Amino acid sequence: MGDGRGMGDIMGRLTRRALLAGASAGLGIYAGRTLLAPTSASGPVFPVAMTPQNGGILLNDASELSPTSVARHITVTADPMTQTVETIRTMMAEARDAGQPFAASAARHSMGGQSLARDGTVLTLDQQWLEADTAAKTYRVAAGTRWSTVIARLDAIGFSPAVMQSNNDFGVASTYSVNAHGWPVRFSGCGSTVRSVKMLLSDGTFVTCSRSENAALFQHAMGGYGLIGVITELELDMVPNSRLNPTFERVSGTDLGETFARMLDADPSIQMAYGRLDVSLDRFFEDGLLISYRPAADQSDIPAATGSGFISRISREIFRRQVGSDWMKHTRWWTETSLGPSIAGEATRNSLMNEPVVTLDDLDPLRTDILHEYFVAPSRFAEFVALCRDVIPASFQQLLNVTLRYVDTDRDSVLAYASEPRIAAVMLFSQEKTVRGEEDMARMTRELIERVLAIGGTYYLPYRPHASVEQLARAYPRAAAFAAQKREIDKGLLFRNHLWDAYLGNL
């Protein structure tokens, strides 16, 4: 519009994921509309309308399959000052006096009720407070501050969160509470970049926890799913924002894990990296792609963080048309491996992470998106590919995407999913909201978990509750110790959710 910027400059400001997905949207929208899989006639998993019990409130999570009747739902937006802490302490006391469980949450993106307390009090934290210390390269943030706010505030002063989830919708304390990881490399989960947290225990005691102060509480709350206390504030590491250039490498699916690890060992300049696998059924997981980001030569005048906006919204079309269509999956894979590298340009660290989940949201009322995540050693990744080829195509689940990340050893959290460096495989399935769909997903999930455990791997706990209690105990050898310590810290079991009720409380 006459501002003097060339097309190359504009393209460089778009996120890579938007470019790759969006560029192919126009190629496949028309054909994809004719290739949607039919829906099942076996009926919904849950009634379309549920009546909350005892005049309560009905809440759900991102799965859309966890409708839960709660007695009370309260949202707190105030900064984490003394009065806010007192307000939350009062809510906790009221729940305790009423014999109700209590659960704190933010976006409720977990998919198995890990942020919901049946017939209890659910607290939603939705805040915006942040204070940065550029000398110490740290920032303090309210528990319910979303990563979108963190990126915006840090971007303005030339910094970036050291580790966050790959989407910006979620609350910072929630990320710590599931110890989520992201695209930045040579890190473990987000908890490895957290210096300290402030937290209310079940008896109302307000504590500061770190690796040197109340260390046991810090280790149990990191990846502890809110079962230890209500976090009100965190202090985290930040790193300089930077311009990054992408590099693309085609690899076979079976070689991707070890190639990923070798690439990071050989080049310490890499700041962010991830992989993809071809999910079309006729060549399932045969081909892979590694994308790595290194600093550009020119780090002056770093542009403000952007999102992908319109292009990502267009890309939703082709992403969703993959359901039931290998042709569309082939088109998307061609886009990622052939078209994408030719058009993807420079991006900033913050822009790469500044993307909401809702961009590619499923708008089909008969289907829902379900995530799986598995962690395996790079040396066992070929075995992981083989077991996935055996299990996933034999189901009727629609796998739309696999993102692969490198996660370093977790040396802090009790419920650690990375006891050694791991390749994380994040899988997005489109599932029918039917009895058939849910039963098939449960069967497939248990089989995947069993085979992953057999090769020394584990699975992630924020997703659908389809594993057996025995599988969880094998995947997380310290789970029983975690549960015992939780009972000591929270003697009245005030902090409960579906993860505790179905799993940890039975150990």
Side-chain angles (χ1 to χ4, degrees):
M1 300 295 291
D3 62 0
R5 288 177 298 194
M7 179 58 71
D9 185 38
I10 295 171
M11 295 289 277
R13 285 158 28 97
L14 298 172
T15 66
R16 186 199 154 272
R17 71 178 92 177
L19 287 169
L20 296 189
S24 61
L27 300 176
I29 291 173
Y30 174 77
R33 291 187 192 280
T34 68
L35 296 169
L36 290 174
T39 57
S40 169
S42 52
V45 177
F46 300 106
V48 174
M50 290 187 63
T51 303
Q53 297 179 3
N54 303 318
I57 301 162
L58 196 67
L59 295 180
N60 212 326
D61 58 26
S63 71
E64 302 176 1
L65 300 176
S66 303
T68 301
S69 177
V70 304
R72 191 180 185 195
H73 176 222
I74 304 162
T75 298
V76 169
T77 59
D79 294 349
M81 303 307 178
T82 301
Q83 187 55 49
T84 305
V85 172
E86 287 300 321
T87 298
I88 297 173
R89 182 185 277 126
T90 299
M91 296 175 193
M92 290 165 46
E94 291 171 350
R96 185 171 54 247
D97 291 345
Q100 297 171 353
F102 190 96
S105 65
R108 284 191 291 280
H109 190 70
S110 295
M111 296 185 170
Q114 295 88 343
S115 56
L116 295 168
R118 190 177 306 280
D119 298 324
T121 295
V122 173
L123 170 67
T124 293
L125 295 168
D126 188 3
Q127 299 156 298
Q128 296 188 351
W129 179 81
L130 183 150
E131 289 184 354
D133 183 338
T134 56
K137 294 184 179 178
T138 62
Y139 61 101
R140 295 165 55 215
V141 65
T145 301
R146 303 306 198 257
W147 287 108
S148 55
T149 298
V150 173
I151 289 175
R153 302 281 180 84
L154 297 189
D155 192 72
I157 58 172
F159 282 89
S160 179
V163 173
M164 59 166 276
Q165 290 161 277
S166 61
N167 295 100
N168 66 11
D169 312 69
F170 314 126
V172 176
S174 296
T175 298
Y176 173 79
S177 295
V178 303
N179 200 20
H181 57 86
W183 295 8
V185 292
R186 299 181 190 85
F187 291 97
S188 188
C190 176
S192 66
T193 71
V194 174
R195 299 283 187 93
S196 65
V197 300
K198 293 183 178 180
M199 182 167 58
L200 276 164
L201 302 182
S202 62
D203 63 0
T205 304
F206 191 52
V207 296
T208 298
C209 308
S210 68
R211 291 171 180 82
S212 60
E213 182 180 4
N214 294 312
L217 289 175
F218 184 78
Q219 293 166 342
H220 283 75
M222 183 190 302
Y225 293 83
L227 293 170
I228 303 302
V230 177
I231 296 169
T232 62
E233 180 183 330
L234 307 89
E235 180 185 16
L236 303 96
D237 293 327
M238 62 186 187
V239 300
N241 189 26
S242 57
R243 295 176 181 265
L244 300 173
N245 282 322
T247 299
F248 303 83
E249 180 181 358
R250 293 285 295 270
V251 296
S252 71
T254 53
D255 292 340
L256 194 148
E258 291 187 296
T259 303
F260 203 157
R262 285 196 303 268
M263 178 183 72
L264 296 181
D265 287 342
D267 190 349
S269 71
I270 297 173
Q271 290 192 14
M272 301 180 74
Y274 66 97
R276 298 275 200 229
L277 289 170
D278 185 348
V279 299
S280 54
L281 290 177
D282 61 348
R283 55 195 192 203
F284 196 73
F285 284 16
E286 290 180 3
D287 297 322
L289 180 70
L290 274 175
I291 305 96
S292 53
Y293 288 86
R294 295 162 179 81
D298 181 8
Q299 293 293 328
S300 62
D301 299 322
I302 297 176
T306 61
S308 54
F310 176 70
I311 287 183
S312 272
R313 286 190 288 274
I314 293 177
S315 74
R316 196 194 74 80
E317 289 284 348
I318 191 169
F319 191 79
R320 290 299 160 190
R321 302 310 174 191
Q322 294 181 103
V323 175
S325 171
D326 256 16
W327 187 92
M328 194 62 75
K329 290 176 181 178
H330 293 166
T331 301
R332 180 169 177 243
W333 188 245
W334 173 82
T335 299
E336 292 225 305
T337 58
S338 299
L339 179 62
S342 67
I343 64 174
E346 181 183 280
T348 71
R349 192 180 194 277
N350 282 335
S351 291
L352 287 169
M353 298 188 288
N354 198 28
E355 189 76 27
V357 166
V358 73
T359 299
L360 296 178
D361 198 18
D362 182 7
L363 303 179
D364 186 345
L366 301 178
R367 306 189 72 89
T368 186
D369 287 347
I370 298 297
L371 290 168
H372 287 211
E373 192 161 345
Y374 301 96
F375 304 91
V376 298
S379 62
R380 311 292 300 264
F381 190 77
E383 296 171 82
F384 174 72
V385 167
L387 71 88
C388 287
R389 286 174 177 165
D390 284 345
V391 175
I392 295 173
S395 73
F396 59 80
Q397 300 305 323
Q398 294 288 323
L399 179 60
L400 303 186
N401 188 63
V402 180
T403 298
L404 304 165
R405 304 174 190 159
Y406 182 89
V407 184
D408 207 350
T409 304
D410 181 353
R411 307 184 190 282
D412 293 306
S413 62
V414 175
L415 293 178
Y417 52 74
S419 57
E420 61 181 344
R422 305 276 193 174
I423 300 296
V426 186
M427 301 181 177
L428 187 147
F429 292 90
S430 176
Q431 178 190 322
E432 295 177 348
K433 291 182 185 176
T434 63
V435 172
R436 180 186 76 166
E438 181 73 350
E439 290 178 349
D440 181 69
M441 179 64 80
R443 177 203 57 76
M444 184 193 72
T445 303
R446 286 191 291 271
E447 187 171 356
L448 283 172
I449 290 171
E450 194 61 33
R451 295 201 186 196
V452 167
L453 291 174
I455 62 171
T458 189
Y459 71 100
Y460 203 16
L461 296 176
Y463 301 131
R464 294 294 294 150
H466 295 321
S468 68
V469 174
E470 186 269 340
Q471 284 179 321
L472 183 145
R474 279 192 287 143
Y476 292 85
R478 300 173 69 189
F482 174 93
Q485 187 65 26
K486 185 265 193 305
R487 292 184 177 98
E488 285 296 313
I489 297 167
D490 179 11
K491 295 188 186 306
L493 299 181
L494 175 66
F495 303 122
R496 301 200 302 276
N497 54 29
H498 292 356
L499 179 64
W500 177 264
D501 293 341
Y503 290 101
L504 296 171
N506 295 311
L507 297 176

